[in-house]
C-alpha cells in the first residue's frame, strides 16, 4: 500500500510499501482535539511540530495519522516502542491476560511475576539476580538512589552533566539539563561532574568512542592510550576530592546519554569511574532506560559495551514496548537493605505488565532484533556519516546500534549549535516527507534517531534520502 498523500516537497525518496491498512479514524475532529488540549491537558505536556500530529494507529515501524497519512517512526515514542507498534506477539499475550487477571498486587503470588522475574534476571550476569518492578523510569531511578543510600549508609550521589534520570523531585537532582530544572529546592546530596563528551567537550577526537563513526576532531591519543579518557578521569577525581565527602552512596550514568543526544564517552571511562566510586564505598548504577534490551546491537545491555558490571541497573521504556513498566535489578544483598522496613508498590509487577514484558523478551529473541539493531544501526550510522562529510551543518554523527545522534552546528570548526529556527525547519521538512525524528541536547541541537528495532535497511535508505533532501533545502534557503 503506497503512501496516500503527496508531500509538498520534491524528493527522490520513495516510502517503502506497507500492506497494513489502518482503520478509519472516527474520533473527535482535529480542531476539537486541539481545543481540549489547550483547555484540559496540562500545558507542561508540550507537543512536537507547528501543527501537532493527531496519531490514530501504529503498525511495527509505522504510524498513521487521523487522515490516514503514514509516517516512518524513528523516535519510537521516545525510545519506548522496542519491538514495533502493536507487535502481534505482545498484543496477543496482553489481550489473553486482560481476560484472565488484571491486578491483585504482589501481596499474593501469581504466575506472571515469577515467570517474568526468572526470564529477565537470566539475562543478567551474576550477582545481578534480584528484581524490583515499578511503573516508570523516574520511579526506578528514584528507588535505585534510595537503595544505594540505604545500603551504603552514605548520602551523596554523583551524576554526569547532560544526564537525564527522570523528572520526579528526587531524580531531578541527578538530571542535569537546565530545561528540566524548576526553581524549587531539589536534589539535596546530588553532585554533577564534567561530561566526557568527545565532540563538544575540551578533549576527544577520532579514536575515542565505541561507534562505527568517530568525530571529525583530530585526536591527541597514542596507540593503546586515550588522552581524552585520562583528562576526563582527572576531572572526575577532582569532583571526588572537592565536592563530596570521603565516602559516597553512588554514581549513576547512562551507557550512552539519551536525552542529551546519544552522547558517548571515551572507551574505558566508565570502567575507571566505577573503580574510583567503589574505592569510596559507593555503588555504581547503570541507567539502561534507553540503552537496554539489545538496542546497542553488540550487547543486550549498554553496560556490557563498557566492560563493567554495575551494582544496580534501572530499566524502563523498551521493557514493555509502550506498556507502563520499569525495573530495578540488583544483588540480593543490596535488595535486602530495602526489606528492613516496608517498601511497597501497588502496580509494580502487575500481571498485565509482566506478561507484556515477557512477550517483549520473546519477540526480541524470535525476531532477531538485537542483531537487526547492530546491522541496520551500523548501516544507518555509516550512511548518515556520508551526509556529515557533505554538509557543513552536520557536525557529528554518533551512536551504536539503533541509538543514534546527529548534532547540528553552524560550522564544524566552531561547533556552535545551529539556531533553533533552522533546525526546526529541517525537522518539519522531514515530518512533511513522512519521517518522524526526535530532538535532544542542551540546545535541542541534536536529532535523536532511536526507532523500533524492527526497521529495515530499505527504511533507512528512505529516511536518509528524506534527511538529505531536508538538508539540501536548508542550503538552498541559506543561499
Amino acid at each position: 500500500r503506497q503512501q496516500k498523500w503527496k508531500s509538498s516537497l520534491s524528493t527522490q525518496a520513495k516510502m517503502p510499501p506497507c500492506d497494513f491498512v489502518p482503520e478509519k479514524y472516527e474520533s473527535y475532529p482535529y480542531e476539537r482535539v486541539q481545543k481540549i488540549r489547550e483547555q484540559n491537558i496540562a500545558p507542561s505536556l508540550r507537543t512536537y511540530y507547528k501543527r501537532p500530529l493527531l496519531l490514530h494507529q501504529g503498525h511495527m515501524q509505522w504510524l498513521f495519522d487521523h487522515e490516514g497519512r503514514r509516517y516512518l517512526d524513528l523516535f519510537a515514542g521516545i525510545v519506548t516502542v522496542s519491538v514495533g507498534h502493536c507487535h502481534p506477539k505482545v498484543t496477543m499475550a496482553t489481550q489473553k491476560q486482560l481476560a484472565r487477571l488484571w491486578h491483585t498486587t504482589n501481596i499474593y503470588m501469581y504466575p506472571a511475576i515469577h515467570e517474568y522475574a526468572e526470564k529477565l534476571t537470566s539475562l543478567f550476569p551474576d550477582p545481578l539476580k534480584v528484581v524490583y518492578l515499578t511503573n516508570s523510569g523516574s520511579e526506578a531511578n528514584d528507588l535505585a538512589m534510595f537503595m544505594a543510600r540505604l545500603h551504603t549508609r552514605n548520602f551523596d550521589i554523583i551524576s554526569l552533566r547532560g544526564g537525564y534520570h527522570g523528572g520526579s523531585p528526587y531524580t531531578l537532582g541527578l538530571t542535569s539539563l537546565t530545561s528540566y530544572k524548576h526553581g524549587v529546592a531539589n536534589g539535596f546530596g546530588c553532585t554533577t561532574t564534567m561530561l566526557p563528551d568527545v565532540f563538544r567537550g575540551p578533549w576527544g577526537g577520532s579514536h575515542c568512542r565505541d561507534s562505527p563513526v568517530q568525530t571529525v576532531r583530530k585526536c591527541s591519543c597514542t596507540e593503546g592510550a586515550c588522552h581524552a579518557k585520562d583528562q576526563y578521569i582527572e576531572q572526575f577525581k577532582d569532583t571526588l576530592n572537592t565536592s563530596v565527602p570521603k565516602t559516597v552512596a553512588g554514581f549513576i550514568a547512562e551507557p550512552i546519554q539519551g536525552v542529551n543526544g546519544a552522547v558517548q564517552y571515551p572507551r574505558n571511562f566508565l570502567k575507571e569511574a566505577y573503580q574510583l566510586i567503589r574505592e569510596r564505598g559507593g555503588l555504581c548504577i547503570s541507567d539502561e532506560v534507553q540503552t537496554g534490551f539489545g538496542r546497542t546491537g553488540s550487547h543486550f545491555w549498554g553496560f556490557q559495551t563498557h566492560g563493567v558490571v554495575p551494582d544496580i541497573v534501572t530499566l524502563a521504556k523498551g521493557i514493555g514496548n509502550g506498556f507502563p513498566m520499569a525495573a530495578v535489578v540488583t544483588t540480593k544483598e543490596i535488595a535486602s537493605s530495602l526489606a528492613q522496613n516496608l517498601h511497597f508498590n501497588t502496580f509494580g509487577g502487575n500481571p498485565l505488565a509482566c506478561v507484556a514484558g515477557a512477550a517483549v523478551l520473546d519477540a526480541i529473541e524470535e525476531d532477531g532484533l538485537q542483531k537487526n539493531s547492530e546491522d541496520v544501526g551500523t548501516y544507518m550510522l555509516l550512511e548518515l556519516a556520508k551526509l556529515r562529510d557533505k554538509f557543513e551543518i552536520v557536525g557529528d554523527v554518533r551512536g551504536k546500534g539503533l541509538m543514534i545522534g546527529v548534532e547540528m552546528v553552524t560550522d564544524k570548526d566552531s561547533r556552535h549549535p545551529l539556531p533553533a529556527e533552522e533546525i526546526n525547519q529541517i525537522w518539519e521538512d522531514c515530518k512533511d516527507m513522512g519521517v518522524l525524528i526526535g530532538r535532544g541536547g542542551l540546545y535541542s541541537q541534536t536529532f535523536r534517531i532511536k526507532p523500533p528495532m524492527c526497521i529495515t535497511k530499505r527504511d533507512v535508505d528512505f529516511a536518509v534520502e528524506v534527511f538529505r533532501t531536508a538538508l539540501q533545502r536548508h542550503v538552498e534557503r541559506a543561499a
Side-chain angles (χ1 to χ4, degrees):
R1 185 177 167 278
Q2 289 302 318
Q3 180 64 285
K4 266 172 73 170
W5 57 298
K6 283 282 172 279
S7 163
S8 56
L9 308 179
S10 101
T11 173
Q12 301 302 303
K14 200 169 171 4
M15 189 175 271
C18 167
D19 54 13
F20 179 81
V21 180
E23 296 160 18
K24 189 175 186 312
Y25 176 79
E26 286 172 346
S27 187
Y28 296 160
Y30 186 91
E31 285 64 32
R32 186 173 174 195
V33 170
Q34 241 181 345
K35 201 164 188 174
I36 294 169
R37 184 93 191 188
E38 284 161 23
Q39 291 175 350
N40 306 114
I41 292 179
S44 56
L45 299 172
R46 298 175 190 174
T47 50
Y48 265 15
Y49 305 116
K50 278 186 291 203
R51 182 175 163 85
L53 292 176
L54 175 52
L55 294 172
H56 162 53
Q57 202 161 358
H59 172 72
M60 301 308 278
Q61 64 269 54
W62 305 104
L63 283 169
F64 300 85
D65 72 8
H66 68 297
E67 292 175 322
R69 293 192 185 99
R70 177 159 60 100
Y71 299 88
L72 179 62
D73 182 8
L74 294 188
F75 202 29
I78 316 186
V79 211
T80 299
V81 179
S82 47
V83 298
H85 291 282
C86 303
H87 189 290
K89 187 174 188 82
V90 184
T91 302
M92 209 182 312
T94 312
Q95 280 171 343
K96 212 166 151 186
Q97 186 62 39
L98 265 172
R100 186 183 294 141
L101 180 70
W102 287 31
H103 181 75
T104 68
T105 90
N106 41 57
I107 54 174
Y108 307 113
M109 297 206 294
Y110 45 89
I113 192 170
H114 301 86
E115 290 167 7
Y116 183 60
E118 182 180 55
K119 197 171 228 165
L120 180 67
T121 55
S122 73
L123 296 164
F124 282 89
D126 283 326
L128 298 168
K129 294 294 174 188
V130 180
V131 61
Y132 190 114
L133 293 159
T134 68
N135 308 292
S136 75
S138 294
E139 222 180 294
N141 282 331
D142 216 290
L143 182 58
M145 294 172 79
F146 192 47
M147 278 183 176
R149 286 169 167 167
L150 274 177
H151 185 72
T152 62
R153 297 290 170 198
N154 299 327
F155 194 69
D156 291 71
I157 298 179
I158 296 170
S159 64
L160 297 174
R161 288 176 203 142
Y164 180 84
H165 301 287
S168 66
Y170 217 27
T171 56
L172 268 176
L174 302 177
T175 290
S176 186
L177 290 154
T178 308
S179 47
Y180 289 92
K181 297 283 193 186
H182 295 263
V184 293
N186 69 66
F188 179 54
C190 297
T191 300
T192 64
T193 189
M194 185 188 269
L195 169 62
D197 179 348
V198 300
F199 174 69
R200 187 160 283 287
W203 306 285
S206 48
H207 302 292
C208 294
R209 63 190 178 203
D210 174 22
S211 172
V213 181
Q214 299 293 336
T215 69
V216 290
R217 289 170 77 181
K218 290 287 168 278
C219 225
S220 53
C221 300
T222 51
E223 192 61 45
C226 182
H227 171 74
K229 183 264 295 168
D230 295 341
Q231 295 295 325
Y232 289 117
I233 284 293
E234 284 307 311
Q235 292 296 314
F236 196 80
K237 285 177 182 170
D238 189 58
T239 300
L240 288 171
N241 293 333
T242 59
S243 306
V244 291
K246 285 191 167 63
T247 55
V248 296
F251 165 60
I252 187 168
E254 303 155 89
I256 297 174
Q257 284 192 335
V259 175
N260 201 23
V263 173
Q264 293 180 283
Y265 327 126
R267 288 183 184 89
N268 294 320
F269 172 82
L270 274 191
K271 195 177 262 187
E272 292 191 25
Y274 272 28
Q275 197 180 329
L276 291 167
I277 289 294
R278 284 171 173 154
E279 283 167 9
R280 284 160 177 79
L283 300 182
C284 300
I285 305 167
S286 183
D287 178 333
E288 298 278 346
V289 171
Q290 296 193 28
T291 50
F293 300 94
R295 181 163 287 281
T296 62
S298 63
H299 297 78
F300 204 79
W301 307 115
F303 67 78
Q304 294 168 312
T305 68
H306 293 274
V308 295
V309 177
D311 303 294
I312 303 176
V313 180
T314 56
L315 313 169
K317 292 194 181 282
I319 191 173
N321 201 46
F323 196 94
M325 66 181 299
V328 178
V329 178
T330 186
T331 68
K332 199 164 189 138
E333 192 191 355
I334 295 167
S336 64
S337 307
L338 205 59
Q340 294 157 20
N341 286 301
L342 277 177
H343 191 280
F344 182 69
N345 192 307
T346 302
F347 294 109
N350 67 76
L352 280 173
C354 291
V355 161
V360 165
L361 293 178
D362 289 345
I364 292 169
E365 188 179 359
E366 288 164 22
D367 298 356
L369 296 183
Q370 183 183 329
K371 177 90 171 77
N372 195 61
S373 290
E374 181 164 38
D375 295 347
V376 176
T378 300
Y379 177 69
M380 191 173 207
L381 278 159
L382 295 172
E383 289 299 303
L384 288 168
K386 293 175 190 171
L387 297 183
R388 179 201 62 189
D389 296 343
K390 185 178 175 190
F391 292 93
E392 184 62 24
I393 56 170
V394 182
D396 195 29
V397 169
R398 54 181 175 254
K400 193 170 167 62
L402 288 171
M403 179 102 181
I404 296 171
V406 180
E407 185 160 345
M408 308 301 290
V409 294
T410 53
D411 61 280
K412 288 183 175 69
D413 285 339
S414 74
R415 304 195 298 281
H416 287 316
L418 193 66
E421 58 277 14
E422 296 182 45
I423 292 184
N424 288 345
Q425 191 58 63
I426 294 166
W427 189 49
E428 293 274 355
D429 284 351
C430 287
K431 183 260 290 178
D432 289 343
M433 289 183 275
V435 176
L436 307 182
I437 304 176
R439 294 276 291 277
L442 203 52
Y443 312 99
S444 202
Q445 82 281 22
T446 303
F447 290 121
R448 295 167 66 196
I449 298 172
K450 291 122 184 228
M453 297 188 290
C454 57
I455 71 159
T456 66
K457 287 184 179 174
R458 195 172 176 185
D459 299 332
V460 169
D461 289 337
F462 166 66
V464 170
E465 180 54 33
V466 160
F467 190 48
R468 190 199 65 75
T469 303
L471 292 171
Q472 191 57 50
R473 275 175 62 87
H474 175 275
V475 169
E476 287 159 14
R477 273 194 302 268

